[in-house]
Amino acid sequence: MGSEKKAAPKALVAGNWKMNGLKTSGAELAALAGQLKDMADLPCDVLICPPATLLAHFSEAALGSPIQTGAQDCHPEDSGAHTGDISAEMIKDAGAEYVIVGHSERRTDHGETDAVVKAKAEAARRARLTAIICIGETEAERDAGKTLEILTGQLEGSLPEGAKAANTVIAYEPVWAIGTGRTPTTEQVAEVHAHIRARLEKALGAEEGAKVRILYGGSVKPANAAELMAVPHVNGALVGGASLKAADFFGIISAYL
Ligand code: PEP
């Protein structure tokens, strides 16, 4: 891939706390901020996506630190009769900069289609948030040799018009690697990330497509982060379980230090 010769985009290490965390979990945020405190010019961006209940609190607590905040989902509309949902505008108002859309748990638990994910990514852009669009194959799809085909369909179906590197991040998360302790081989990750890069360059143009960050997610831990983050076209990580404890998350960030 020619684009790997261009400067790689600045990496992003993002933590997805899922449905975990109470007010007392602010101690982990504070501990992480403390570890990053004296590091000028961090070579990667650092993001925590806590549950919605903690978003405003974490956004305020993270001010003055290099840690940015994001939500885990948003509704496509800006307001209205959608009990229990939150809009991209509300997320921005809470002080966040990012929103995860199309996580496999939402695709599975809430039946979210690519069209729904695309509408959510469009809402993120409308609210001046960066959308982290998640795509990934199931184990059955990988076993059937359909990985690249599935990912192409998800990417093309979820990527909104006007997507740019400044408002879009792609997270490749094999469903079978999430929360299982299993990861693809570095060769498998390399194949998928090169494929996503090529599709992004086709969809957005070579220059813009080369700048979009492509994260790997699925059982990233301090012990395997350096190896995974060294794979071409891996521009950071989306981390679930290992983002809950500051020490583990810092261990993953350390792959870039
Ligand atoms: C995730 O859910 O986005 C994830 C990558 O989880 P874990 O790191 O726990 O596998």
Side-chain angles (χ1 to χ4, degrees):
M1 288 294 128
S3 57
E4 186 62 20
K5 296 199 187 81
K6 297 176 191 149
K10 188 175 187 188
L12 169 67
V13 181
N16 171 15
W17 278 27
K18 311 193 187 192
M19 198 171 71
N20 297 292
L22 300 171
K23 275 192 279 182
T24 50
S25 315
E28 296 299 332
L29 178 75
L32 183 66
Q35 282 178 293
L36 299 175
K37 187 162 61 93
D38 296 322
M39 295 186 187
D41 298 328
L42 259 189
C44 61
D45 291 334
V46 176
L47 173 70
I48 291 188
C49 301
T53 48
L54 293 177
L55 192 55
H57 170 54
F58 272 34
S59 300
E60 199 170 320
L63 286 176
S65 85
I67 304 169
Q68 292 179 290
T69 55
Q72 299 172 13
D73 179 48
C74 68
H75 192 279
E77 292 175 24
D78 60 353
S79 63
H82 301 290
T83 303
D85 281 319
I86 57 172
S87 72
E89 282 74 7
M90 292 168 175
I91 291 164
K92 185 77 179 178
D93 187 53
E97 300 295 336
Y98 289 79
V99 59
I100 299 169
V101 294
H103 190 281
S104 69
E105 286 152 16
R106 293 215 54 95
R107 289 179 187 261
T108 304
D109 297 355
H110 300 268
E112 290 189 6
T113 61
D114 291 336
V116 169
V117 176
K118 179 177 178 175
K120 292 181 174 198
E122 272 161 1
R125 185 165 56 108
R126 185 188 65 220
R128 288 172 291 109
L129 294 170
T130 297
I132 302 178
I133 301 174
C134 301
I135 58 175
E137 83 286 2
T138 63
E139 187 157 33
E141 289 163 346
R142 178 164 280 278
D143 290 347
K146 291 189 172 158
T147 298
L148 300 185
E149 181 193 326
I150 292 291
L151 294 174
T152 301
Q154 289 180 345
L155 185 65
E156 290 176 355
S158 311
L159 201 61
E161 297 292 316
K164 294 206 177 318
N167 59 27
T168 308
V169 173
I170 305 298
Y172 167 54
E173 298 208 301
V175 177
W176 52 272
I178 295 177
T180 59
R182 297 166 59 204
T183 55
T185 64
T186 51
E187 289 76 18
Q188 288 170 326
V189 175
E191 180 192 35
V192 166
H193 279 241
H195 177 77
I196 295 171
R197 178 69 69 210
R199 304 310 298 195
L200 286 169
E201 290 180 352
K202 188 158 175 259
L204 310 181
E207 200 175 325
E208 199 61 30
K211 289 193 274 189
V212 175
R213 293 182 285 190
I214 308 172
L215 312 185
Y216 168 76
S219 295
V220 179
K221 312 277 179 225
N224 62 17
E227 190 184 26
L228 288 164
M229 298 305 105
V231 174
H233 298 295
V234 172
N235 312 121
L238 181 54
V239 185
S243 69
L244 292 170
K245 292 279 167 223
D248 291 339
F249 198 44
F250 183 72
I252 292 169
I253 293 166
S254 297
Y256 287 102
L257 301 179

